[in-house]
PDB file of all heavy atoms in Angstrom:
ATOM      1  N   GLY A   1       0.839  -1.185   0.000  1.00  0.00           N
ATOM      2  CA  GLY A   1       0.000   0.000   0.000  1.00  0.00           C
ATOM      3  C   GLY A   1       0.875   1.236   0.000  1.00  0.00           C
ATOM      4  O   GLY A   1       1.807   1.344   0.795  1.00  0.00           O
ATOM      5  N   CYS A   2       0.595   2.169  -0.889  1.00  0.00           N
ATOM      6  CA  CYS A   2       1.437   3.360  -1.028  1.00  0.00           C
ATOM      7  C   CYS A   2       0.563   4.606  -0.916  1.00  0.00           C
ATOM      8  O   CYS A   2      -0.262   4.871  -1.797  1.00  0.00           O
ATOM      9  CB  CYS A   2       2.166   3.334  -2.371  1.00  0.00           C
ATOM     10  SG  CYS A   2       3.375   4.663  -2.571  1.00  0.00           S
ATOM     11  N   SER A   3       0.743   5.363   0.160  1.00  0.00           N
ATOM     12  CA  SER A   3      -0.087   6.537   0.417  1.00  0.00           C
ATOM     13  C   SER A   3       0.544   7.829  -0.075  1.00  0.00           C
ATOM     14  O   SER A   3      -0.094   8.882  -0.031  1.00  0.00           O
ATOM     15  CB  SER A   3      -0.354   6.663   1.918  1.00  0.00           C
ATOM     16  OG  SER A   3       0.863   6.946   2.600  1.00  0.00           O
ATOM     17  N   GLY A   4       1.798   7.761  -0.504  1.00  0.00           N
ATOM     18  CA  GLY A   4       2.500   8.963  -0.936  1.00  0.00           C
ATOM     19  C   GLY A   4       3.350   9.588   0.147  1.00  0.00           C
ATOM     20  O   GLY A   4       4.131  10.507  -0.126  1.00  0.00           O
ATOM     21  N   GLY A   5       3.220   9.108   1.382  1.00  0.00           N
ATOM     22  CA  GLY A   5       4.017   9.629   2.485  1.00  0.00           C
ATOM     23  C   GLY A   5       5.385   8.973   2.567  1.00  0.00           C
ATOM     24  O   GLY A   5       5.700   8.044   1.822  1.00  0.00           O
ATOM     25  N   THR A   6       6.194   9.437   3.518  1.00  0.00           N
ATOM     26  CA  THR A   6       7.565   8.945   3.650  1.00  0.00           C
ATOM     27  C   THR A   6       7.608   7.467   4.027  1.00  0.00           C
ATOM     28  O   THR A   6       8.391   6.692   3.469  1.00  0.00           O
ATOM     29  CB  THR A   6       8.319   9.762   4.710  1.00  0.00           C
ATOM     30  OG1 THR A   6       8.255  11.150   4.372  1.00  0.00           O
ATOM     31  CG2 THR A   6       9.773   9.339   4.777  1.00  0.00           C
ATOM     32  N   ASP A   7       6.764   7.053   4.965  1.00  0.00           N
ATOM     33  CA  ASP A   7       6.815   5.677   5.461  1.00  0.00           C
ATOM     34  C   ASP A   7       6.524   4.664   4.363  1.00  0.00           C
ATOM     35  O   ASP A   7       7.293   3.722   4.143  1.00  0.00           O
ATOM     36  CB  ASP A   7       5.821   5.486   6.610  1.00  0.00           C
ATOM     37  CG  ASP A   7       6.140   6.355   7.812  1.00  0.00           C
ATOM     38  OD1 ASP A   7       7.280   6.847   7.902  1.00  0.00           O
ATOM     39  OD2 ASP A   7       5.252   6.546   8.651  1.00  0.00           O
ATOM     40  N   SER A   8       5.398   4.837   3.673  1.00  0.00           N
ATOM     41  CA  SER A   8       5.039   3.860   2.643  1.00  0.00           C
ATOM     42  C   SER A   8       5.998   3.933   1.453  1.00  0.00           C
ATOM     43  O   SER A   8       6.257   2.919   0.802  1.00  0.00           O
ATOM     44  CB  SER A   8       3.596   4.060   2.185  1.00  0.00           C
ATOM     45  OG  SER A   8       3.418   5.311   1.545  1.00  0.00           O
ATOM     46  N   SER A   9       6.532   5.114   1.173  1.00  0.00           N
ATOM     47  CA  SER A   9       7.500   5.244   0.076  1.00  0.00           C
ATOM     48  C   SER A   9       8.798   4.508   0.412  1.00  0.00           C
ATOM     49  O   SER A   9       9.380   3.828  -0.440  1.00  0.00           O
ATOM     50  CB  SER A   9       7.803   6.720  -0.195  1.00  0.00           C
ATOM     51  OG  SER A   9       6.649   7.407  -0.643  1.00  0.00           O
ATOM     52  N   PHE A  10       9.230   4.628   1.676  1.00  0.00           N
ATOM     53  CA  PHE A  10      10.443   3.922   2.072  1.00  0.00           C
ATOM     54  C   PHE A  10      10.221   2.416   2.083  1.00  0.00           C
ATOM     55  O   PHE A  10      11.104   1.642   1.680  1.00  0.00           O
ATOM     56  CB  PHE A  10      10.913   4.387   3.448  1.00  0.00           C
ATOM     57  CG  PHE A  10      12.060   3.572   3.973  1.00  0.00           C
ATOM     58  CD1 PHE A  10      13.308   3.623   3.381  1.00  0.00           C
ATOM     59  CD2 PHE A  10      11.869   2.697   5.034  1.00  0.00           C
ATOM     60  CE1 PHE A  10      14.357   2.834   3.833  1.00  0.00           C
ATOM     61  CE2 PHE A  10      12.902   1.911   5.491  1.00  0.00           C
ATOM     62  CZ  PHE A  10      14.159   1.978   4.896  1.00  0.00           C
ATOM     63  N   LEU A  11       9.051   1.983   2.540  1.00  0.00           N
ATOM     64  CA  LEU A  11       8.735   0.548   2.498  1.00  0.00           C
ATOM     65  C   LEU A  11       8.819   0.046   1.060  1.00  0.00           C
ATOM     66  O   LEU A  11       9.374  -1.028   0.801  1.00  0.00           O
ATOM     67  CB  LEU A  11       7.337   0.294   3.062  1.00  0.00           C
ATOM     68  CG  LEU A  11       6.795  -1.129   2.873  1.00  0.00           C
ATOM     69  CD1 LEU A  11       7.690  -2.157   3.551  1.00  0.00           C
ATOM     70  CD2 LEU A  11       5.362  -1.228   3.390  1.00  0.00           C
ATOM     71  N   LEU A  12       8.299   0.824   0.134  1.00  0.00           N
ATOM     72  CA  LEU A  12       8.330   0.429  -1.275  1.00  0.00           C
ATOM     73  C   LEU A  12       9.769   0.361  -1.787  1.00  0.00           C
ATOM     74  O   LEU A  12      10.129  -0.544  -2.539  1.00  0.00           O
ATOM     75  CB  LEU A  12       7.520   1.425  -2.098  1.00  0.00           C
ATOM     76  CG  LEU A  12       7.182   1.017  -3.525  1.00  0.00           C
ATOM     77  CD1 LEU A  12       6.387  -0.290  -3.536  1.00  0.00           C
ATOM     78  CD2 LEU A  12       6.391   2.124  -4.210  1.00  0.00           C
ATOM     79  N   TYR A  13      10.586   1.313  -1.358  1.00  0.00           N
ATOM     80  CA  TYR A  13      12.010   1.300  -1.738  1.00  0.00           C
ATOM     81  C   TYR A  13      12.680   0.024  -1.233  1.00  0.00           C
ATOM     82  O   TYR A  13      13.408  -0.657  -1.968  1.00  0.00           O
ATOM     83  CB  TYR A  13      12.704   2.528  -1.158  1.00  0.00           C
ATOM     84  CG  TYR A  13      14.216   2.479  -1.232  1.00  0.00           C
ATOM     85  CD1 TYR A  13      14.889   2.879  -2.380  1.00  0.00           C
ATOM     86  CD2 TYR A  13      14.970   2.024  -0.145  1.00  0.00           C
ATOM     87  CE1 TYR A  13      16.277   2.821  -2.455  1.00  0.00           C
ATOM     88  CE2 TYR A  13      16.357   1.965  -0.207  1.00  0.00           C
ATOM     89  CZ  TYR A  13      16.997   2.368  -1.366  1.00  0.00           C
ATOM     90  OH  TYR A  13      18.369   2.286  -1.431  1.00  0.00           O
ATOM     91  N   ALA A  14      12.448  -0.303   0.036  1.00  0.00           N
ATOM     92  CA  ALA A  14      13.054  -1.501   0.614  1.00  0.00           C
ATOM     93  C   ALA A  14      12.561  -2.759  -0.096  1.00  0.00           C
ATOM     94  O   ALA A  14      13.343  -3.669  -0.392  1.00  0.00           O
ATOM     95  CB  ALA A  14      12.742  -1.572   2.114  1.00  0.00           C
ATOM     96  N   ALA A  15      11.259  -2.811  -0.386  1.00  0.00           N
ATOM     97  CA  ALA A  15      10.695  -3.976  -1.063  1.00  0.00           C
ATOM     98  C   ALA A  15      11.260  -4.126  -2.470  1.00  0.00           C
ATOM     99  O   ALA A  15      11.532  -5.246  -2.932  1.00  0.00           O
ATOM    100  CB  ALA A  15       9.172  -3.858  -1.104  1.00  0.00           C
ATOM    101  N   ALA A  16      11.444  -2.996  -3.153  1.00  0.00           N
ATOM    102  CA  ALA A  16      11.993  -3.041  -4.510  1.00  0.00           C
ATOM    103  C   ALA A  16      13.422  -3.564  -4.504  1.00  0.00           C
ATOM    104  O   ALA A  16      13.862  -4.220  -5.455  1.00  0.00           O
ATOM    105  CB  ALA A  16      11.939  -1.649  -5.137  1.00  0.00           C
ATOM    106  N   ASN A  17      14.157  -3.293  -3.433  1.00  0.00           N
ATOM    107  CA  ASN A  17      15.521  -3.810  -3.296  1.00  0.00           C
ATOM    108  C   ASN A  17      15.528  -5.293  -2.953  1.00  0.00           C
ATOM    109  O   ASN A  17      16.347  -6.049  -3.466  1.00  0.00           O
ATOM    110  CB  ASN A  17      16.273  -3.030  -2.209  1.00  0.00           C
ATOM    111  CG  ASN A  17      16.886  -1.746  -2.719  1.00  0.00           C
ATOM    112  OD1 ASN A  17      18.015  -1.724  -3.209  1.00  0.00           O
ATOM    113  ND2 ASN A  17      16.149  -0.651  -2.612  1.00  0.00           N
ATOM    114  N   ALA A  18      14.624  -5.700  -2.067  1.00  0.00           N
ATOM    115  CA  ALA A  18      14.629  -7.081  -1.585  1.00  0.00           C
ATOM    116  C   ALA A  18      13.906  -8.041  -2.518  1.00  0.00           C
ATOM    117  O   ALA A  18      14.237  -9.234  -2.565  1.00  0.00           O
ATOM    118  CB  ALA A  18      13.998  -7.138  -0.188  1.00  0.00           C
ATOM    119  N   LEU A  19      12.895  -7.526  -3.241  1.00  0.00           N
ATOM    120  CA  LEU A  19      12.065  -8.373  -4.099  1.00  0.00           C
ATOM    121  C   LEU A  19      11.956  -7.774  -5.507  1.00  0.00           C
ATOM    122  O   LEU A  19      10.851  -7.474  -5.974  1.00  0.00           O
ATOM    123  CB  LEU A  19      10.664  -8.519  -3.500  1.00  0.00           C
ATOM    124  CG  LEU A  19      10.524  -9.270  -2.178  1.00  0.00           C
ATOM    125  CD1 LEU A  19       9.142  -9.028  -1.581  1.00  0.00           C
ATOM    126  CD2 LEU A  19      10.750 -10.763  -2.384  1.00  0.00           C
ATOM    127  N   PRO A  20      13.032  -7.578  -6.203  1.00  0.00           N
ATOM    128  CA  PRO A  20      12.959  -6.942  -7.528  1.00  0.00           C
ATOM    129  C   PRO A  20      12.050  -7.707  -8.473  1.00  0.00           C
ATOM    130  O   PRO A  20      12.143  -8.921  -8.605  1.00  0.00           O
ATOM    131  CB  PRO A  20      14.419  -6.965  -8.009  1.00  0.00           C
ATOM    132  CG  PRO A  20      15.086  -8.029  -7.190  1.00  0.00           C
ATOM    133  CD  PRO A  20      14.404  -8.018  -5.866  1.00  0.00           C
ATOM    134  N   GLY A  21      11.127  -6.952  -9.089  1.00  0.00           N
ATOM    135  CA  GLY A  21      10.220  -7.555 -10.049  1.00  0.00           C
ATOM    136  C   GLY A  21       9.054  -8.307  -9.447  1.00  0.00           C
ATOM    137  O   GLY A  21       8.246  -8.887 -10.176  1.00  0.00           O
ATOM    138  N   ARG A  22       8.942  -8.312  -8.111  1.00  0.00           N
ATOM    139  CA  ARG A  22       7.868  -9.078  -7.454  1.00  0.00           C
ATOM    140  C   ARG A  22       7.035  -8.201  -6.522  1.00  0.00           C
ATOM    141  O   ARG A  22       6.450  -8.673  -5.544  1.00  0.00           O
ATOM    142  CB  ARG A  22       8.468 -10.248  -6.678  1.00  0.00           C
ATOM    143  CG  ARG A  22       9.082 -11.329  -7.569  1.00  0.00           C
ATOM    144  CD  ARG A  22       9.643 -12.462  -6.735  1.00  0.00           C
ATOM    145  NE  ARG A  22      10.913 -12.074  -6.086  1.00  0.00           N
ATOM    146  CZ  ARG A  22      11.438 -12.685  -5.041  1.00  0.00           C
ATOM    147  NH1 ARG A  22      10.788 -13.702  -4.487  1.00  0.00           N
ATOM    148  NH2 ARG A  22      12.585 -12.291  -4.531  1.00  0.00           N
ATOM    149  N   VAL A  23       6.992  -6.898  -6.846  1.00  0.00           N
ATOM    150  CA  VAL A  23       6.270  -5.942  -5.993  1.00  0.00           C
ATOM    151  C   VAL A  23       5.303  -5.127  -6.846  1.00  0.00           C
ATOM    152  O   VAL A  23       5.641  -4.681  -7.944  1.00  0.00           O
ATOM    153  CB  VAL A  23       7.252  -4.981  -5.285  1.00  0.00           C
ATOM    154  CG1 VAL A  23       6.487  -4.000  -4.404  1.00  0.00           C
ATOM    155  CG2 VAL A  23       8.275  -5.755  -4.466  1.00  0.00           C
ATOM    156  N   LEU A  24       4.095  -4.958  -6.332  1.00  0.00           N
ATOM    157  CA  LEU A  24       3.112  -4.064  -6.936  1.00  0.00           C
ATOM    158  C   LEU A  24       2.721  -3.023  -5.896  1.00  0.00           C
ATOM    159  O   LEU A  24       2.367  -3.367  -4.772  1.00  0.00           O
ATOM    160  CB  LEU A  24       1.870  -4.840  -7.386  1.00  0.00           C
ATOM    161  CG  LEU A  24       0.680  -3.984  -7.879  1.00  0.00           C
ATOM    162  CD1 LEU A  24       1.035  -3.251  -9.172  1.00  0.00           C
ATOM    163  CD2 LEU A  24      -0.566  -4.849  -8.082  1.00  0.00           C
ATOM    164  N   ALA A  25       2.812  -1.749  -6.264  1.00  0.00           N
ATOM    165  CA  ALA A  25       2.381  -0.664  -5.384  1.00  0.00           C
ATOM    166  C   ALA A  25       0.948  -0.289  -5.732  1.00  0.00           C
ATOM    167  O   ALA A  25       0.602  -0.148  -6.909  1.00  0.00           O
ATOM    168  CB  ALA A  25       3.294   0.546  -5.542  1.00  0.00           C
ATOM    169  N   VAL A  26       0.110  -0.136  -4.719  1.00  0.00           N
ATOM    170  CA  VAL A  26      -1.297   0.212  -4.941  1.00  0.00           C
ATOM    171  C   VAL A  26      -1.675   1.367  -4.019  1.00  0.00           C
ATOM    172  O   VAL A  26      -1.367   1.350  -2.824  1.00  0.00           O
ATOM    173  CB  VAL A  26      -2.223  -0.990  -4.682  1.00  0.00           C
ATOM    174  CG1 VAL A  26      -3.684  -0.593  -4.900  1.00  0.00           C
ATOM    175  CG2 VAL A  26      -1.859  -2.157  -5.598  1.00  0.00           C
ATOM    176  N   THR A  27      -2.340   2.355  -4.587  1.00  0.00           N
ATOM    177  CA  THR A  27      -2.826   3.495  -3.811  1.00  0.00           C
ATOM    178  C   THR A  27      -4.346   3.512  -3.847  1.00  0.00           C
ATOM    179  O   THR A  27      -4.943   3.537  -4.927  1.00  0.00           O
ATOM    180  CB  THR A  27      -2.296   4.820  -4.392  1.00  0.00           C
ATOM    181  OG1 THR A  27      -0.865   4.788  -4.406  1.00  0.00           O
ATOM    182  CG2 THR A  27      -2.753   6.005  -3.549  1.00  0.00           C
ATOM    183  N   ALA A  28      -4.954   3.445  -2.681  1.00  0.00           N
ATOM    184  CA  ALA A  28      -6.413   3.550  -2.594  1.00  0.00           C
ATOM    185  C   ALA A  28      -6.795   4.998  -2.861  1.00  0.00           C
ATOM    186  O   ALA A  28      -6.422   5.901  -2.108  1.00  0.00           O
ATOM    187  CB  ALA A  28      -6.889   3.106  -1.216  1.00  0.00           C
ATOM    188  N   ASP A  29      -7.520   5.223  -3.926  1.00  0.00           N
ATOM    189  CA  ASP A  29      -7.899   6.566  -4.362  1.00  0.00           C
ATOM    190  C   ASP A  29      -9.325   6.859  -3.904  1.00  0.00           C
ATOM    191  O   ASP A  29     -10.286   6.313  -4.437  1.00  0.00           O
ATOM    192  CB  ASP A  29      -7.784   6.642  -5.892  1.00  0.00           C
ATOM    193  CG  ASP A  29      -8.159   8.008  -6.435  1.00  0.00           C
ATOM    194  OD1 ASP A  29      -8.366   8.938  -5.632  1.00  0.00           O
ATOM    195  OD2 ASP A  29      -8.256   8.144  -7.672  1.00  0.00           O
ATOM    196  N   HIS A  30      -9.444   7.712  -2.892  1.00  0.00           N
ATOM    197  CA  HIS A  30     -10.758   8.004  -2.324  1.00  0.00           C
ATOM    198  C   HIS A  30     -10.821   9.459  -1.871  1.00  0.00           C
ATOM    199  O   HIS A  30      -9.779  10.135  -1.790  1.00  0.00           O
ATOM    200  CB  HIS A  30     -11.051   7.057  -1.153  1.00  0.00           C
ATOM    201  CG  HIS A  30      -9.977   7.033  -0.120  1.00  0.00           C
ATOM    202  ND1 HIS A  30      -9.828   8.022   0.818  1.00  0.00           N
ATOM    203  CD2 HIS A  30      -8.977   6.138   0.122  1.00  0.00           C
ATOM    204  CE1 HIS A  30      -8.794   7.742   1.600  1.00  0.00           C
ATOM    205  NE2 HIS A  30      -8.257   6.608   1.197  1.00  0.00           N
ATOM    206  N   PRO A  31     -12.005   9.989  -1.556  1.00  0.00           N
ATOM    207  CA  PRO A  31     -12.154  11.417  -1.226  1.00  0.00           C
ATOM    208  C   PRO A  31     -11.451  11.863   0.057  1.00  0.00           C
ATOM    209  O   PRO A  31     -11.292  13.062   0.270  1.00  0.00           O
ATOM    210  CB  PRO A  31     -13.672  11.592  -1.084  1.00  0.00           C
ATOM    211  CG  PRO A  31     -14.268  10.455  -1.812  1.00  0.00           C
ATOM    212  CD  PRO A  31     -13.312   9.322  -1.658  1.00  0.00           C
ATOM    213  N   LEU A  32     -11.050  10.925   0.908  1.00  0.00           N
ATOM    214  CA  LEU A  32     -10.374  11.304   2.152  1.00  0.00           C
ATOM    215  C   LEU A  32      -8.878  11.508   1.932  1.00  0.00           C
ATOM    216  O   LEU A  32      -8.168  11.886   2.860  1.00  0.00           O
ATOM    217  CB  LEU A  32     -10.587  10.233   3.228  1.00  0.00           C
ATOM    218  CG  LEU A  32     -12.031   9.830   3.533  1.00  0.00           C
ATOM    219  CD1 LEU A  32     -12.075   8.884   4.714  1.00  0.00           C
ATOM    220  CD2 LEU A  32     -12.897  11.052   3.800  1.00  0.00           C
ATOM    221  N   MET A  33      -8.397  11.260   0.723  1.00  0.00           N
ATOM    222  CA  MET A  33      -6.979  11.364   0.409  1.00  0.00           C
ATOM    223  C   MET A  33      -6.714  12.631  -0.398  1.00  0.00           C
ATOM    224  O   MET A  33      -7.412  12.926  -1.369  1.00  0.00           O
ATOM    225  CB  MET A  33      -6.521  10.147  -0.396  1.00  0.00           C
ATOM    226  CG  MET A  33      -5.046  10.140  -0.719  1.00  0.00           C
ATOM    227  SD  MET A  33      -4.595   8.702  -1.717  1.00  0.00           S
ATOM    228  CE  MET A  33      -2.816   8.676  -1.454  1.00  0.00           C
TER     229      MET A  33
END
């Protein structure tokens, strides 16, 4: 899950390093965001 903030962005960075080619980032697009 990627919200655009620092925490989820860093998690995505770490996942991309540890699991190259096996990661999908998804952002829930809703009116509260």
Side-chain angles (χ1 to χ4, degrees):
C2 186
S3 66
T6 305
D7 297 343
S8 65
S9 296
F10 173 68
L11 171 60
L12 193 59
Y13 168 85
N17 276 272
L19 294 167
R22 292 181 285 161
V23 180
L24 173 66
V26 179
T27 302
D29 180 8
H30 53 78
L32 306 186
M33 182 182 198

